[in-house]
Amino acid sequence: MVDTTLTPTELPGSVEPGSSKGPKIKRAQLIASKIIFYVAATVFCLWQIAFVIFSLFIVLPDLLPEIWISYRYFDMPLVFFALVVGFFILPMLCLGVIVWLFMVGGEKRYRLVLKFFYGFELPALLLLGLYLLNLRDYSLGMGWLLLVATVAMCFWCALVFHERRGHDKNAELLFVDSRFAMAFSSIVCAVGIYVSLALLLFVVPLLSQLVLFLVESISHLFKAGFYIDELFNALLSVDWTEFFSGIGFSFAAIPFVALVALVFISMGLVLVLPVILIYLYIGQFMDRLRQPKLVQNVLVAMAVFVVLVCIHVGANQQSQQNVFAMLEQEAQSAVDKSMLIDKKEQIRDGLMNAYLSRYRYLSSTGTASLLTKLYVDTFSIDKEIAKYPQLLLNFLFKPILYNGDSRNDVTLAAEAYEKHFDVPIQKAELEEIWRTLRFNSNASRQNAAGLLDVSQESVYLEKQSIDVQVDHQLATVRVTQKLVNKEMRQREAVVHFSLPEYAVITGVWLSNNESNLEQYSALVAPRGAAQEVYKTEVSRRIDPALLEKVGPELYRLRVYPIERAYRQNRHEVVDGKPMFVTFEYQSLVDSQGVWPVPTLLEKRHLFWDENTIDMVNGEQIKRQRPDDWIPVEAGKHNRVEQVITEVLGTETHSVWAVPRSYLHSEPNNLNDDMSFESIVVLVDGSRSMERHADKVLQALEQMPEAAVYFCQTACEAANSDLTSNYVYWGNSKPIEQLEDYLSRDTKPEADFIVVLTDDGSYEAESDAQAVLSSTIPVWVQHLGVLKPYAYSDAWLTTVNQSGGGFATGEVADLLQRLSLLQNSRNLKLQGVDAALLEKLNLTGINKDWLWFDGPVIGNRSDLANYKQLGTALEIGRITKSGHTLELSQLDELHAMAIQAQIVTELSSMLVLVDDRQREALKQAASKDDRFDRENENGSQVVGMPSDTLAVAAVPE
């Protein structure tokens, strides 16, 4: 084997005895070889000295502790933490190897050390540094490139280590001359060609610009009258001792000087690295190729090259463009829709790859133009000619380039996903998206919590105190929670929860002082105005809190900001200052004699664990169900038995709550109590309903003779068995389906419209949808065990003003409610005076209570405690009376909520902390759209890694 590393005594190109080359040529080669050797050795020594100083004074005492703090407290991804530590540790390990190689003694040690530094350490650090600067959740293509590079560098190390072990080259012939070694040598050659070519594409224009810059700078100096002799004279005349003392030079500046030297030497090494790799990697391959068994060596090398090229071309198979083309053609027939449904995994993978392209690929074929611009700017050549270097680079980087235009495809993929799968991509693919985002450590650019924050655990529920006070059939429950932020960013805590309709929110408070939990109290405001002010204040990073009713039994509590964790000292991070949130509600007892507690539907950023302290009426309890937000055990304190209860509504009448158990009998045979011919059933045919197809059929079997319509973008009359002609497809919404049905010229007479749907996706609703007017009560039956955690205002108002409602669970329960409403005059109630029953009018039903509108009989002072609940029930009755409410009527209902200090579907509670916020609320509450809430889609904009090969856009 012929060495390819220059030494003073052994040079590749030295003349063999009997050579025809003359002594002058030999002397010139010897001098050139010595110059190159000493330059290489000098650069190596300077780099190592600078690195040792930098490590001892900066890396070990400062950077590594900071990296640990960043990983422990600042959400640094594990993979990034490991790579950063590896980047600083690798040179230290290599320094140990260099010392070990240097101990071999003799002239051989110089050759070994330089081989190792230029052939392994330098390429390894460059590769690791580039990977860190462009960290992503790369596909298999990057894994392939890293594998080949690792194999090549490991083989190079093996060559160096084998040479150290042997006293002459014959000691390693068994290792060197094998076909196995030839294959690895070919891999090293391929890596040398690949890296050198990729770097040269950048080095050529960059060196040209550098040379041009130096020539222009020197030219300007001479034009300005500076000459070399004058410059030297000026330098010699300077008192350097006084100069350095004047600028404060001391040993403290040594690490900074070392860092500057390290950076500039490294930059220079990167510029000449292509030449180094050609000389080392390709040189060793050519030497090995010329050894005995030439034909065998050539065949092995060709086989390796063919395999490498084939894998390189096929390592990055992407399906997104085929998926886009597939979805562009609208499927019309049931067969076409079924075929696309069968390809759901392929479609999902393609859309996810497009959506996450900025996080998975170095750049994209549609945006990579950096090299083109570099050549145009440097050599002033035509853009079409300058594209060829870019095309060559794109081929080299094919395994890590996205096929398409990542700037546009991200949006296209999100839209196509929601349209095809009937759910926002951030909601459906939460785990996959976060798995990819963690490779980039890119935080949300929004202060408000969104869909991606559902799985995040940053705001810790450290303690909560629950106080349950009972007065006859009414309990007042106050919940105080201590929230602590564990992360170094301000967070918004969001909780969606449910309470039964016989409960009402009566207060919300915010405080950062445990001794004054009512520091900031809530104002009752129109729902639209409250939302507008809250969102504005969140964007300004100012403290507000908002509690609103987003549907029957549905509530949303939002608190911002929970103060971030902070650095107490250099090595310690402590939790943020606690925020105390208190809310209060009143409720009747349920049919089991238990006080209802809020049921968690969704949370964002908030979390708790076994160390969370739960106090009920001053005593600590142990929760039985860890997933509960409010432990159900709290509702079992001070239990009472259900009795008929008069709840004061207005001056002229009351709302009467009668236990459902008082019914003499529930309708069992529904055919005897109601006619199904009077029911129209609208089946939601959107894609998400596919999972409930069996439940739809079971529901229709319970409503024989009902008129059935299968609805997507349009409603089509269907049989109750819904044969294979109907495929659940698209992302149409129930309100759009109802709108199409109501617009039909001919439709059957009906007493009820029943919409069979699932829990849906609140975030996918549109603000552009208008409220519909239906003279027929619309009842929405959610199939499955999940209930929505919010409704859009348009859908909520449409159902309420029709006189209908919402139901979750079994269809039989809804049919029983409808039967009772149809036959309300024939009800038989145990324990209710017949004379009183004649005066009562049934207005509502739930699983625990029957609601009646009737006269005021009890003493008003005894009913005063029920005033807030009664007002809430009265407002609910008016909004569901089957009439369209004008703005003035909404203001009247809101005035009732203000007087009672309660939360309703029209009125929210907003906690503000200063006069400026209160003035903003006053202005928002005077607008005509004060009751119109925006539908919040929850979509988050997350910081994206830079498109490495794209030219930065310049705003106009």
Side-chain angles (χ1 to χ4, degrees):
M1 174 180 175
V2 178
D3 274 304
T4 57
T5 303
L6 296 174
T7 69
T9 58
E10 183 179 333
L11 305 171
S14 57
V15 180
E16 300 291 339
S19 173
S20 60
K21 294 187 178 181
K24 291 185 178 181
I25 297 178
K26 289 195 297 181
R27 180 176 295 276
Q29 289 179 339
L30 183 61
I31 294 174
S33 298
K34 286 185 176 182
I35 291 174
I36 295 175
F37 171 79
Y38 287 120
V39 169
T42 302
V43 171
F44 160 76
C45 293
L46 290 175
W47 193 94
Q48 293 294 343
I49 293 172
F51 167 74
V52 169
I53 296 174
F54 175 66
S55 299
L56 292 177
F57 288 92
I58 298 179
V59 174
L60 293 177
D62 294 319
L63 290 184
L64 287 181
E66 284 296 321
I67 292 169
W68 169 248
I69 289 291
S70 297
Y71 169 68
R72 179 65 179 83
Y73 298 105
F74 292 11
D75 290 338
M76 176 184 281
L78 176 60
V79 61
F80 195 82
F81 170 75
L83 290 174
V84 171
V85 173
F87 183 77
F88 291 116
I89 296 297
L90 180 61
M92 301 180 187
L93 298 177
C94 290
L95 187 59
V97 174
I98 288 171
V99 173
W100 176 68
L101 292 173
F102 203 77
M103 291 170 61
V104 73
E107 294 291 340
K108 184 179 183 179
R109 59 186 176 183
Y110 301 111
R111 180 173 68 249
L112 293 175
V113 168
L114 293 183
K115 271 187 175 182
F116 180 78
F117 176 72
Y118 288 103
F120 175 80
E121 183 176 1
L122 184 58
L125 286 176
L126 175 64
L127 180 64
L128 187 54
L130 291 176
Y131 190 80
L132 274 172
L133 292 174
N134 297 278
L135 187 63
R136 289 161 170 79
D137 181 22
Y138 287 107
S139 59
L140 292 176
M142 175 57 82
W144 161 249
L145 294 180
L146 292 177
L147 175 63
V148 174
T150 302
V151 169
M153 288 186 290
C154 288
F155 181 72
W156 183 262
C157 285
L159 289 178
V160 175
F161 296 161
H162 269 74
E163 186 174 346
R164 184 190 186 280
R165 290 176 57 191
H167 297 289
D168 55 57
K169 296 180 182 179
N170 294 328
E172 52 176 335
L173 283 179
L174 180 62
F175 174 78
V176 172
D177 290 340
S178 66
R179 285 172 294 182
F180 180 77
M182 187 66 218
F184 279 99
S185 178
S186 302
I187 294 176
V188 174
C189 176
V191 170
I193 295 173
Y194 181 87
V195 176
S196 299
L197 187 55
L199 287 177
L200 281 172
L201 290 173
F202 288 96
V203 167
V204 169
L206 291 177
L207 277 178
S208 300
Q209 290 186 3
L210 179 60
V211 171
L212 182 62
F213 171 76
L214 293 176
V215 171
E216 290 180 349
S217 300
I218 295 173
S219 174
H220 287 312
L221 286 176
F222 279 106
K223 288 180 180 178
F226 290 97
Y227 297 95
I228 299 298
D229 55 345
E230 294 180 356
L231 178 62
F232 275 111
N233 291 333
L235 292 174
L236 291 174
S237 65
V238 174
D239 185 347
W240 292 106
T241 303
E242 182 179 352
F243 172 77
F244 282 119
S245 61
I247 63 174
F249 181 82
S250 64
F251 286 105
I254 293 178
F256 175 75
V257 174
L259 176 60
V260 173
L262 190 64
V263 170
F264 278 96
I265 294 173
S266 299
M267 292 173 59
L269 287 173
V270 170
L271 291 177
V272 299
L273 185 61
V275 177
I276 295 174
L277 293 183
I278 290 173
Y279 181 78
L280 293 178
Y281 283 13
I282 302 177
Q284 64 83 29
F285 171 79
M286 297 304 298
D287 290 340
R288 192 180 305 278
L289 195 66
R290 291 194 295 265
Q291 290 178 357
K293 301 181 181 179
L294 176 63
V295 176
Q296 174 185 288
N297 291 341
V298 171
L299 291 177
V300 171
M302 290 180 61
V304 171
F305 290 153
V306 169
V307 171
L308 291 178
V309 171
C310 290
I311 298 179
H312 179 87
V313 173
N316 189 12
Q317 299 298 320
Q318 302 175 30
S319 62
Q320 63 274 355
Q321 299 307 326
N322 292 332
V323 169
F324 282 139
M326 193 186 305
L327 297 180
E328 280 180 3
Q329 300 178 356
E330 291 288 342
Q332 301 296 332
S333 67
V335 175
D336 293 338
K337 294 175 182 178
S338 298
M339 289 178 61
L340 287 178
I341 290 176
D342 292 339
K343 298 179 180 179
K344 60 182 179 182
E345 287 303 319
Q346 177 186 347
I347 293 174
R348 176 195 172 275
D349 291 343
L351 294 179
M352 284 297 292
N353 196 53
Y355 183 73
L356 296 173
S357 57
R358 292 290 295 273
Y359 305 95
R360 288 181 172 177
Y361 296 95
L362 185 70
S363 185
S364 64
T365 57
T367 61
S369 59
L370 179 63
L371 205 55
T372 300
K373 186 176 188 301
L374 189 59
Y375 275 82
V376 170
D377 293 345
T378 304
F379 302 111
S380 300
I381 59 177
D382 186 78
K383 189 175 181 180
E384 293 300 320
I385 299 177
K387 283 183 179 180
Y388 289 106
Q390 184 71 62
L391 293 175
L392 177 57
L393 185 69
N394 288 357
F395 174 77
L396 294 175
F397 286 172
K398 180 177 173 60
I400 52 177
L401 284 184
Y402 172 75
N403 181 23
D405 188 337
S406 58
R407 293 170 300 190
N408 299 325
D409 286 359
V410 172
T411 303
L412 292 177
E415 294 173 351
Y417 190 101
E418 184 172 328
K419 182 177 180 181
H420 184 72
F421 290 103
D422 191 26
V423 61
I425 192 170
Q426 290 187 350
K427 186 175 184 178
E429 304 293 347
L430 180 65
E431 293 184 5
E432 178 71 11
I433 292 173
W434 266 118
R435 190 193 67 79
T436 297
L437 290 180
R438 287 190 179 101
F439 280 87
N440 299 272
S441 187
N442 287 298
S444 172
R445 293 179 177 177
Q446 300 163 201
N447 298 333
L451 289 174
L452 294 179
D453 296 318
V454 171
S455 63
Q456 298 306 291
E457 296 183 346
S458 53
V459 177
Y460 181 54
L461 176 55
E462 185 174 293
K463 178 182 178 180
Q464 61 180 343
S465 299
I466 306 163
D467 185 66
V468 182
Q469 300 298 325
V470 177
D471 184 6
H472 296 88
Q473 289 286 294
L474 187 72
T476 300
V477 182
R478 176 171 288 208
V479 180
T480 299
Q481 298 185 328
K482 181 181 180 180
L483 305 181
V484 178
N485 193 350
K486 298 286 187 178
E487 293 188 358
M488 298 292 295
R489 300 185 183 96
Q490 290 183 333
R491 294 301 193 189
E492 179 191 34
V494 179
V495 180
H496 287 87
F497 63 93
S498 68
L499 281 170
E501 64 177 299
Y502 49 86
V504 58
I505 300 289
T506 56
V508 183
W509 296 268
L510 199 62
S511 174
N512 52 23
N513 184 356
E514 191 170 8
S515 61
N516 181 17
L517 296 177
E518 297 185 5
Q519 182 178 8
Y520 302 110
S521 58
L523 299 173
V524 179
R527 62 187 183 187
Q531 182 197 51
E532 177 186 339
V533 173
Y534 177 85
K535 291 175 66 176
T536 300
E537 295 307 301
V538 167
S539 66
R540 295 166 58 97
R541 299 178 181 268
I542 305 297
D543 297 21
L546 176 64
L547 202 159
E548 50 191 336
K549 193 172 185 180
V550 289
E553 305 183 351
L554 305 179
Y555 295 86
R556 176 168 59 199
L557 173 62
R558 307 167 68 176
V559 180
Y560 180 88
I562 313 299
E563 291 297 332
R564 66 184 183 89
Y566 60 94
R567 296 283 293 270
Q568 181 167 326
N569 52 52
R570 185 175 179 183
H571 302 292
E572 186 179 3
V573 175
V574 298
D575 296 338
K577 296 179 181 178
M579 178 73 74
F580 296 91
V581 181
T582 302
F583 65 93
E584 182 183 86
Y585 67 92
Q586 293 182 344
S587 177
L588 299 178
V589 74
D590 68 11
S591 58
Q592 304 300 316
V594 175
W595 306 109
V597 296
T599 300
L600 179 70
L601 301 177
E602 188 204 60
K603 59 183 177 64
R604 299 177 184 177
H605 284 310
L606 187 66
F607 76 105
W608 52 90
D609 56 23
E610 66 276 3
N611 296 318
T612 296
I613 299 174
D614 297 306
M615 307 288 293
V616 179
N617 288 353
E619 296 182 3
Q620 185 172 348
I621 64 169
K622 183 176 179 60
R623 61 174 66 200
Q624 301 300 317
R625 298 189 300 189
D627 292 337
D628 285 345
W629 176 43
I630 310 293
V632 295
E633 291 75 20
K636 298 178 181 179
H637 283 62
N638 304 331
R639 298 171 64 170
V640 299
E641 184 179 351
Q642 269 189 327
V643 296
I644 184 171
T645 303
E646 180 182 1
V647 180
L648 185 63
T650 66
E651 294 296 326
T652 58
H653 66 275
S654 292
V655 177
W656 289 78
V658 179
R660 189 160 174 172
S661 60
Y662 280 24
L663 274 174
H664 184 68
S665 63
E666 294 270 4
N668 295 319
N669 188 353
L670 294 173
N671 287 305
D672 297 338
D673 296 296
M674 67 182 301
S675 172
F676 292 107
E677 294 180 353
S678 63
I679 295 180
V680 169
V681 180
L682 305 184
V683 178
D684 178 4
S686 58
R687 177 68 183 275
S688 62
M689 280 289 289
E690 182 183 19
R691 55 187 171 152
H692 300 302
D694 293 339
K695 288 185 172 59
V696 171
L697 296 178
Q698 295 171 8
L700 295 179
E701 289 176 358
Q702 299 179 59
M703 292 180 283
E705 301 179 0
V708 179
Y709 290 82
F710 190 81
C711 300
Q712 291 173 344
T713 54
C715 290
E716 180 181 350
N719 297 323
S720 60
D721 59 353
L722 291 182
T723 60
S724 59
N725 292 329
Y726 299 98
V727 177
Y728 294 97
W729 183 258
N731 65 332
S732 58
K733 305 298 179 288
I735 191 171
E736 299 168 345
Q737 299 162 2
L738 177 63
E739 183 177 27
D740 180 79
Y741 171 76
L742 294 177
S743 66
R744 295 172 66 92
D745 294 331
T746 58
K747 45 186 177 287
E749 295 183 1
D751 294 333
F752 301 104
I753 297 176
V754 176
V755 179
L756 297 181
T757 185
D758 56 2
D759 56 307
S761 182
Y762 161 76
E763 291 81 10
E765 301 288 343
S766 171
D767 286 328
Q769 179 64 53
V771 174
L772 306 180
S773 177
S774 174
T775 58
I776 306 172
V778 177
W779 286 87
V780 180
Q781 173 67 49
H782 297 289
L783 303 175
V785 297
L786 297 177
K787 66 163 59 178
Y789 51 74
Y791 295 105
S792 68
D793 284 350
W795 186 223
L796 181 62
T797 305
T798 294
V799 174
N800 283 344
Q801 292 188 355
S802 73
F806 299 86
T808 303
E810 298 296 328
V811 175
D813 294 338
L814 172 61
L815 296 179
Q816 287 179 339
R817 291 172 64 182
L818 299 183
S819 178
L820 290 172
L821 289 172
Q822 269 194 340
N823 300 278
S824 60
R825 306 312 303 175
N826 300 323
L827 291 180
K828 296 180 181 180
L829 299 176
Q830 299 174 352
V832 179
D833 183 74
L836 174 61
L837 186 59
E838 286 294 325
K839 301 176 182 178
L840 299 181
N841 179 36
L842 182 66
T843 59
I845 304 168
N846 60 50
K847 64 184 182 66
D848 298 308
W849 295 91
L850 302 175
W851 302 106
F852 293 86
D853 182 29
V856 177
I857 294 180
N859 188 305
R860 291 187 179 277
S861 60
D862 296 336
L863 301 178
N865 290 340
Y866 294 94
K867 178 63 178 177
Q868 290 175 297
L869 177 59
T871 302
L873 294 172
E874 179 66 11
I875 292 175
R877 182 188 68 82
I878 296 174
T879 57
K880 299 174 183 177
S881 60
H883 300 92
T884 300
L885 299 178
E886 302 296 334
L887 182 59
S888 59
Q889 294 172 297
L890 297 180
D891 285 333
E892 292 176 3
L893 296 178
H894 177 60
M896 293 171 59
I898 293 177
Q899 184 179 9
Q901 286 296 292
I902 58 174
V903 173
T904 70
E905 291 177 7
L906 296 173
S907 306
S908 303
M909 280 190 175
L910 180 64
V911 180
L912 302 176
V913 299
D914 58 39
D915 293 336
R916 182 193 56 77
Q917 293 177 329
R918 296 183 184 91
E919 181 61 29
L921 177 61
K922 182 178 179 181
Q923 295 179 8
S926 64
K927 297 179 181 178
D928 291 340
D929 61 350
R930 51 188 173 272
F931 292 102
D932 299 334
R933 276 183 297 210
E934 292 182 3
N935 202 70
E936 301 187 34
N937 59 28
S939 178
Q940 289 179 260
V941 179
V942 181
M944 292 185 179
S946 60
D947 191 333
T948 307
L949 300 181
V951 177
V954 179
E956 295 182 2

